[in-house]
Amino acid sequence: TVDSGYTEKITGYAINAELKDNGTLSVKEKIDYDFGSNEKHGIYRYIPTIYKSRNGNPRQSITNISIKMNNGDSVPYTTTRNNSTKQEIAQFTIGDSEKLVTGVQTYIVSYDVARVISSDSQADTFNWNFIGTGWEVPINNIKINLKLSAKSANNLFKIDCYTGKNDINQSCNLSRTNKEISFVKKSLEPHKGITINSSFKINTFKSPSWLEI
């Protein structure tokens, strides 16, 4: 199994996201992280804020951040930014620096990402790594649900799903019912992610101002 040889693992990863007509993505993640017998302060969560290799993609901002345990208790976190060749990344350091945890811990991570739409003369595009390749542990019981507005659902003309490592090139199957798109996968090996690429008719989403690009 993908868990073999790993003390730590993610036993469940559920993502509920809504793509709004103003180009904002609202995300709520439920991460069941099993530390096993290890004692740690918490976890890291990395979220890209700009893909430097994409044309016409405005700089993204992350707001309305909320990180809680499953019982509703708030979890301390800090946010820093890391730059790489292709991305600028917001890093959430989640956990109490004065407290150690072990076993299964459930983290509820919510945030909004503005300006997630890229536009050109052909389409408005939404390409998003719902699970990135930075996780160093196996991930099990993955569920992704993406909600669209009536307008964007009507204007959607192409959508693809991919899994894999940094090249993320293995196709995966999506389910669609009216305004919702869903994906379920039993497991992912470490450093494998899930990306959804979608294309909409031009001007489906509000364009950012030149100050936001």
Side-chain angles (χ1 to χ4, degrees):
T1 68
V2 296
D3 294 345
S4 296
Y6 290 89
T7 301
E8 299 181 20
K9 56 184 174 290
I10 295 174
T11 58
Y13 203 139
I15 301 171
N16 287 288
E18 180 180 2
L19 182 57
K20 299 179 179 179
D21 287 341
N22 64 358
T24 295
L25 182 69
S26 293
V27 182
K28 184 177 182 179
E29 303 178 351
K30 181 182 179 183
I31 304 171
D32 299 316
Y33 195 100
D34 187 356
F35 292 93
S37 58
N38 291 342
E39 293 185 338
K40 299 284 186 71
H41 293 288
I43 62 173
Y44 295 102
R45 179 71 179 90
Y46 302 94
I47 301 172
T49 55
I50 189 169
Y51 291 82
K52 298 177 182 178
S53 58
R54 291 183 190 166
N55 294 324
N57 191 42
R59 184 176 300 275
Q60 297 156 351
S61 62
I62 299 177
T63 58
N64 299 324
I65 302 168
S66 170
I67 302 178
K68 297 183 178 181
M69 302 300 291
N70 204 33
N71 62 4
D73 290 346
S74 295
V75 181
Y77 70 90
T78 58
T79 304
T80 55
R81 292 190 179 275
N82 295 326
N83 296 332
S84 64
T85 303
K86 295 184 178 180
Q87 298 178 344
E88 290 182 15
I89 298 172
Q91 174 184 301
F92 295 166
T93 303
I94 302 171
D96 191 333
S97 61
E98 298 183 358
K99 180 181 177 181
L100 293 172
V101 295
T102 190
V104 178
Q105 305 291 325
T106 298
Y107 300 94
I108 310 296
V109 183
S110 302
Y111 53 90
D112 292 343
V113 188
R115 301 183 291 276
V116 298
I117 302 299
S118 302
S119 299
D120 57 26
S121 60
Q122 302 298 315
D124 287 353
T125 59
F126 169 66
N127 300 338
W128 194 254
N129 296 339
F130 279 89
I131 295 182
T133 57
W135 287 106
E136 298 179 346
V137 298
I139 304 173
N140 297 281
N141 301 311
I142 301 152
K143 297 179 181 179
I144 299 172
N145 188 76
L146 174 63
K147 182 179 179 181
L148 305 175
S149 69
K151 177 183 178 183
S152 60
N154 185 60
N155 288 349
L156 175 66
F157 64 85
K158 183 180 180 182
I159 186 163
D160 297 301
C161 173
Y162 300 95
T163 67
K165 294 194 175 182
N166 290 330
D167 50 355
I168 306 187
N169 58 8
Q170 299 171 324
S171 296
C172 50
N173 295 322
L174 295 169
S175 299
R176 182 180 177 186
T177 56
N178 195 12
K179 296 184 294 183
E180 294 193 3
I181 296 160
S182 58
F183 171 83
V184 176
K185 189 172 178 62
K186 184 178 179 180
S187 61
L188 273 178
E189 296 173 3
H191 298 294
K192 287 192 175 183
I194 299 172
T195 295
I196 292 178
N197 296 342
S198 53
S199 298
F200 301 82
K201 294 179 181 178
I202 298 172
N203 297 323
T204 296
F205 299 93
K206 178 184 176 181
S207 299
S209 71
W210 67 271
L211 291 173
E212 296 173 321
I213 296 177

